């Protein structure tokens, strides 16, 4: 996990953006705390100012890293 979320957690850095491999292993999603390129966010969550599971995971990682 060199340079990945685990490295950021060890240094107590905040994650700004990350790429997540989709479940079909053919697409990467770009994730930030404000948006995501996954279909759930684009077609459902963005219209209601919601968050997809990728954004929630990133938020949780940031909460762990700042403790």
């Amino acid at each position: 996990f060199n340079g990945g979320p685990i490295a950021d957690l060890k240094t107590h850095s905040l994650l700004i953006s990350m790429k997540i491999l989709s479940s079909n292993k053919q697409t990467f999603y770009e994730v930030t705390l404000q948006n995501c390129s996954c279909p759930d966010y684009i077609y459902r969550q963005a219209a209601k100012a919601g968050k997809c599971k990728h954004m929630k995971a990133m938020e949780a990682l940031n909460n762990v890293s700042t403790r």
Side-chain angles (χ1 to χ4, degrees):
F1 293 111
N2 292 338
I6 302 302
D8 288 327
L9 289 174
K10 289 180 182 175
T11 61
H12 301 286
S13 297
L14 291 178
L15 291 169
I16 296 169
S17 68
M18 62 183 176
K19 288 185 178 181
I20 302 282
L21 185 60
S22 67
S23 59
N24 69 12
K25 310 268 191 276
Q26 295 181 3
T27 306
F28 279 93
Y29 301 135
E30 295 279 343
V31 185
T32 70
L33 292 172
Q34 290 78 32
N35 59 53
C36 182
S37 62
C38 76
D40 178 47
Y41 181 74
I42 292 170
Y43 298 111
R44 288 182 283 279
Q45 304 302 331
K48 60 181 183 179
K51 296 179 183 180
C52 67
K53 65 183 178 182
H54 310 109
M55 295 166 69
K56 290 175 184 176
M58 186 173 190
E59 194 172 69
L61 285 171
N62 278 327
N63 288 338
V64 168
S65 69
T66 57
R67 289 184 190 175

